Amino acid sequence: MKGKAVPHLIGVFPLGMMSLFFLAPLAFMVMVSFYERDPLGFFNEAFVWDNYAKFFSSFYYTISLRSLWSASLGAVLVVLLAFPAMYIIVDMARRWQLFWVILLLSLMCLSEVIIGFAWLILFSENSGIPKFMGWIGVWENPRSLSPSFGAMMVGYVTLGFSLVALMFLPQLARRDRSIEEAALTLGTPPMQVFSKVILPNFKAGIVSALVTMFVYFLGVFVMPTMLGRPQDWNMTVIITDKAVGDANMPLGAALSVIMLIFTLFIIGALTYASRNKDKGALT
Amino acid sequence: MATLSLSNIQKSFGTFQALRDVNLDIRSGEFICLLGGSGCGKTTLLRIIAGLEEMTSGNLLLENSDLSSIECHKRNVGMVFQSLALFPHLNVGDNIAYGLEVRGVAKSKRRQKATDLLEVVGLSGLYERKVSALSGGQRQRVAIARALAIEPKLFLMDEPFSALDAGLREHLQIEVKKLQRKLGVTTIFVTHDQHEAMSIADRIVILNEGRIEQAGTPTEVYARPQTRFVADFMGTNNIFSPIFTPGADAMLEDANLGRPSGELGQWSGKHTVAVRPEYLQLKPASADSTGLVGTVDFVRLLGASIETELSVGDRSFVHTMVSDRAPQFAVGDSVEISFDFDHAWVIPS
């Protein structure tokens, strides 16, 4: 009994911290979302649905869909690039594996702002990629590549790539390579082994990485503001704009709650779908 | 069915030579065991035959056509891997039908074939079961059925039973042998276990440091080892080098081993002989014993037999006898060891 009590006691600490630093602000945010805005100050205590009603205007509705689209596309791009890259890296010689892992860890150390500035410079008309392309004669009239949706996506991929790649590293490194060899001996052409055997085997890991990145990209702030156009901004930027710029904390809180519900719904749907598919295989 | 011919197969990994001049002809429908210790090259040879590894040089012919120029996925070779390598994302039936699906066989036909094979390997009714829900023995059977589903020209098995307990292992050895006989498929089975090789192979190929030491029927390699390595590897053998003189007793240093009969009686000089433990005879040593006198070091019961380990100076001998009697000797007893030269096998130098 005494042996069991110790891990339970240790477990109480993170649960307490979660409650204190996550659930308490969340509860406060839900509460504020029903308050009224005070034009002269912060907010007045009340219970109104006005802040939620505003979400259904075409402006917020469009921004929500755009946020979901950019987060989904960013997540897919990151996983599409990181998974095959890691698949190649884990089969490299040990020193090259080490080189890439250190590079990925270094990328993780960079702040979002530094990455944003680096891409701003690289996309700029005067000193970056466009200038280089003009210099080598590939682009006749080079112009700045940012702000644009594409530049914002590049920023997303740079942010998420190392995280996803390192998520896949242990799974891919420890995989049973004889499964791929078995597929070959059974007649699978080498080019199809990846799609027929490796991808289905890593489905759970891939879905998990997609969901993680999707949630992460829903909340990014720096990349859309630095590399995206105003029409590319996501809900996080708009919430910050409303809460801080317009001092409308109740509206910001209501929008945050709606985004949270959206996110939970999508994660729930994905989990349900993947569970159902597993059950389907059994029947 | 296949006739496989391997000639002068060489394989190097950097400076390490894994296979050296391997020459072997395998007849159609034969069950061959590649036997050897770790790093002897047996798995490398199997992988070369499967097309998973390229040989450095040599010729590999299947029914007189060059197999080495055919890509792995086109060789039509069924292989059971040491880790089994079942596809975790597919159920049992789909694992077995996988190779047929790749070949474009219609769904109904591949389902029927997988169902039939499940029956053959004794897993009827488990088509829809997840592979993770199977026991070790059931997984083995699925791996075997999957490899056989494609009706392979060659059936390769890479230490498939190494992770199983002794009982299940023996049971599956018998099942595999029966199945192979029934289907008549040419089979190459890799193992490091001489008992396993003896119990299932038509012919055993013993590899050592990338070379074939000896290839022959289980009886041949067991009773007539051609090298000292084979004599050692094929189980406990008493190996020693007496001096023979025509018409006189053979001597092992000061010990008189008696007069060799038959052809051995005409031999002269020092020759290495192997005598199996069951052919040694023990009796209590007396003060005037001139034969091979040793001391009992260890006695153990091995179920059906009793094994006695003895030392004669710095040499070790092993004696076995059926366990229907109580052990005759105890640790520390002084015994005289003798044998009939008819049961001694001279290892060619």
Side-chain angles (χ1 to χ4, degrees):
Chain A
M1 285 302 287
K2 200 178 174 184
K4 271 191 173 180
V6 175
H8 283 143
L9 281 173
I10 295 170
V12 167
F13 179 74
L15 284 175
M17 288 292 132
M18 278 272 285
S19 310
L20 197 65
F21 294 111
F22 175 69
L23 293 177
L26 181 69
F28 182 68
M29 185 178 78
V30 174
M31 218 161 62
V32 170
S33 69
F34 292 103
Y35 289 176
E36 278 180 337
R37 181 191 176 207
D38 181 355
L40 299 173
F42 229 31
F43 44 73
N44 296 322
E45 283 183 24
F47 187 83
V48 293
W49 289 95
D50 294 5
N51 302 311
Y52 286 96
K54 280 177 189 159
F55 172 79
F56 295 100
S57 67
S58 68
F59 175 70
Y60 292 112
Y61 187 72
T62 311
I63 288 167
S64 300
L65 288 178
R66 194 194 296 149
S67 299
L68 295 176
W69 162 241
S70 59
S72 309
L73 184 65
V76 169
L77 285 175
V78 166
V79 172
L80 270 181
L81 292 169
F83 187 81
M86 224 48 219
Y87 178 71
I88 294 167
I89 289 169
V90 294
D91 282 341
M92 285 179 173
R94 186 141 185 86
R95 58 184 173 152
W96 282 108
Q97 278 185 40
L98 201 65
F99 166 80
W100 284 107
V101 170
I102 290 170
L103 198 73
L104 289 168
L105 285 169
S106 311
L107 191 61
M108 279 183 84
C109 294
L110 296 177
S111 90
E112 205 178 335
V113 178
I114 301 281
I115 295 171
F117 271 119
W119 278 119
L120 266 184
I121 294 165
L122 285 170
F123 286 146
S124 72
E125 191 178 325
N126 299 323
S127 56
I129 297 164
K131 185 164 175 95
F132 175 75
M133 289 173 85
W135 182 65
I136 60 169
V138 176
W139 200 353
E140 205 173 317
N141 296 308
R143 57 184 174 77
S144 179
L145 291 168
S146 68
S148 66
F149 184 76
M152 189 177 84
M153 279 297 119
V154 170
Y156 277 25
V157 169
T158 319
L159 262 186
F161 185 86
S162 52
L163 187 67
V164 172
L166 291 170
M167 272 171 78
F168 286 131
L169 172 67
Q171 300 174 43
L172 282 167
R174 282 201 305 257
R175 76 184 195 276
D176 179 4
R177 282 152 174 86
S178 59
I179 287 180
E180 291 146 52
E181 292 179 341
L184 276 175
T185 59
L186 289 167
T188 317
M191 294 298 283
Q192 287 179 28
V193 170
F194 188 79
S195 61
K196 285 188 84 77
V197 176
I198 297 162
L199 279 181
N201 268 319
F202 283 90
K203 191 184 78 183
I206 288 168
V207 170
S208 159
L210 279 171
V211 171
T212 308
M213 280 300 102
F214 171 75
V215 174
Y216 180 50
F217 289 149
L218 270 183
V220 289
F221 175 79
V222 176
M223 288 303 167
T225 47
M226 286 180 88
L227 298 171
R229 300 162 299 178
Q231 61 264 41
D232 302 320
W233 288 355
N234 62 8
M235 190 58 104
T236 307
V237 178
I238 302 302
I239 290 169
T240 312
D241 184 50
K242 292 294 154 196
V244 180
D246 296 354
N248 192 346
M249 196 64 87
L251 179 60
L255 294 174
S256 301
V257 170
I258 289 168
M259 284 312 288
L260 184 68
I261 292 167
F262 255 122
T263 311
L264 290 175
F265 175 76
I266 289 166
I267 293 170
L270 275 171
T271 313
Y272 181 76
S274 95
R275 268 189 197 170
N276 255 13
K277 201 159 186 187
D278 284 346
K279 273 185 193 169
L282 280 170
T283 53
Chain B
M1 294 304 152
T3 306
L4 184 68
S5 172
L6 293 81
S7 52
N8 304 316
I9 304 279
Q10 308 255 12
K11 174 67 186 175
S12 301
F13 294 102
T15 55
F16 174 70
Q17 202 163 1
L19 291 172
R20 306 156 194 253
D21 267 334
V22 172
N23 292 287
L24 184 67
D25 284 318
I26 298 170
R27 292 184 294 275
S28 176
E30 204 173 10
F31 197 124
I32 292 281
C33 266
L34 300 179
L35 176 66
S38 296
C40 71
K42 55 190 188 300
T43 295
T44 304
L45 186 58
L46 195 79
R47 289 172 62 82
I48 286 172
I49 296 167
L52 294 168
E53 208 80 65
E54 273 185 39
M55 57 192 174
T56 308
S57 64
N59 289 308
L60 188 60
L61 301 175
L62 182 65
E63 291 163 348
N64 295 321
S65 61
D66 183 14
L67 193 62
S68 59
S69 61
I70 302 170
E71 289 174 275
C72 173
H73 69 284
K74 292 178 181 165
R75 287 192 186 189
N76 201 32
V77 163
M79 184 158 173
V80 178
F81 291 79
Q82 193 170 5
S83 70
L84 302 183
L86 295 176
F87 304 130
H89 64 290
L90 299 178
N91 64 21
V92 168
D94 290 343
N95 257 283
I96 296 170
Y98 179 89
L100 302 174
E101 187 195 338
V102 171
R103 283 162 176 75
V105 175
K107 194 174 180 178
S108 58
K109 281 189 179 173
R110 48 179 207 255
R111 192 176 175 93
Q112 185 56 51
K113 177 94 180 176
T115 308
D116 292 347
L117 276 165
L118 276 171
E119 199 179 322
V120 169
V121 296
L123 294 177
S124 301
L126 297 186
Y127 192 103
E128 309 289 350
R129 184 78 60 89
K130 272 184 138 184
V131 289
S132 57
L134 298 178
S135 68
Q138 288 173 324
R139 285 178 189 212
Q140 293 284 349
R141 290 185 173 102
V142 174
I144 290 166
R146 183 179 68 175
L148 292 174
I150 59 171
E151 293 178 8
K153 287 182 175 176
L154 291 170
F155 182 34
L156 313 178
M157 302 178 90
D158 185 9
E159 303 203 42
F161 308 142
S162 59
L164 300 179
D165 61 74
L168 186 56
R169 193 184 171 116
E170 281 177 24
H171 181 67
L172 282 171
Q173 284 165 6
I174 296 165
E175 281 194 19
V176 162
K177 181 67 185 174
K178 282 182 180 171
L179 191 61
Q180 190 267 344
R181 269 193 195 145
K182 186 176 164 187
L183 301 174
V185 61
T186 309
T187 303
I188 306 172
F189 187 103
V190 162
T191 182
H192 62 266
D193 180 343
Q194 64 273 32
H195 299 295
E196 188 167 68
M198 295 273 292
S199 64
I200 53 174
D202 294 330
R203 204 146 52 104
I204 298 174
V205 178
I206 299 167
L207 287 151
N208 179 33
E209 293 179 347
R211 282 197 186 89
I212 292 181
E213 290 272 338
Q214 189 177 347
T217 63
T219 311
E220 281 169 356
V221 292
Y222 181 76
R224 294 188 287 282
Q226 294 299 305
T227 66
R228 186 175 180 123
F229 175 83
V230 175
D232 266 338
F233 199 82
M234 287 313 293
T236 319
N237 247 314
N238 296 295
I239 301 167
F240 47 97
S241 305
I243 294 170
F244 294 90
T245 309
D249 291 349
M251 301 294 289
L252 182 65
E253 293 169 2
D254 295 337
N256 187 330
L257 302 180
R259 184 78 50 96
S261 54
E263 195 191 337
L264 267 179
Q266 306 307 312
W267 288 51
S268 67
K270 199 172 189 179
H271 295 283
T272 302
V273 297
V275 182
R276 303 222 55 92
E278 59 269 29
Y279 293 129
L280 287 189
Q281 289 141 24
L282 305 181
K283 64 178 182 184
S286 58
D288 57 349
S289 287
T290 56
L292 199 57
V293 177
T295 310
V296 176
D297 286 336
F298 195 72
V299 181
R300 61 175 177 166
L301 179 66
L302 297 171
S305 62
I306 295 170
E307 188 178 274
T308 308
E309 286 183 26
L310 307 117
S311 60
V312 180
D314 55 356
R315 286 193 184 86
S316 295
F317 286 80
V318 179
H319 166 262
T320 55
M321 56 178 264
V322 288
S323 61
D324 57 347
R325 288 176 291 159
Q328 290 173 290
F329 301 100
V331 173
D333 285 356
S334 187
V335 294
E336 187 174 333
I337 306 163
S338 60
F339 59 90
D340 188 337
F341 270 99
D342 287 345
H343 294 130
W345 171 253
V346 180
I347 298 170
S349 51

